[in-house]
Amino acid sequence: MGPKTLLVGELAESIFTGGAQDMAMITLTAPVAKLDWNIHGHAGGSTQTVKEELGVMSATYAFTPTAQAEWFLLLRNKDTAPMTVEVKIELYGAITWSGWQ
């Protein structure tokens, strides 16, 4: 993957499409402990949060979808200055990643 620069308060979202036989290993590294992130879905029109961490500098998470669907990785800069987050996503099985929206 590579760097993702976020302005103050900016959100960035990407989409994974996969199911129970798949996995995405997500590694995030920010310059300061002001990164909020989550993995979520929108089944039935509501939001289901799978994993969320607030105000972190780094995160490593092995995401295994519970059902075949679109799943969303959300990043948010809670710092008072722009930040560049190093993003590494490793895909296993048939899961796909569509990049940043």
Side-chain angles (χ1 to χ4, degrees), residues 17-86:
T17 303
Q21 301 301 314
D22 303 322
M23 184 180 84
M25 178 61 74
I26 301 163
T27 305
L28 308 170
T29 306
V32 294
K34 298 282 186 158
L35 174 66
D36 294 350
W37 74 276
N38 75 37
I39 297 277
H40 64 279
H42 295 292
S46 63
T47 301
Q48 303 81 38
T49 301
V50 175
K51 173 73 175 177
E52 180 171 62
E53 293 185 313
L54 306 175
V56 298
M57 188 174 204
S58 64
T60 301
Y61 184 68
F63 171 56
T64 53
T66 55
Q68 184 68 35
E70 285 188 338
W71 300 93
F72 302 85
L73 170 63
L74 181 88
L75 305 180
R76 177 176 40 215
N77 177 2
K78 293 295 282 190
D79 199 9
T80 57
M83 77 165 58
T84 299
V85 179
E86 289 297 324

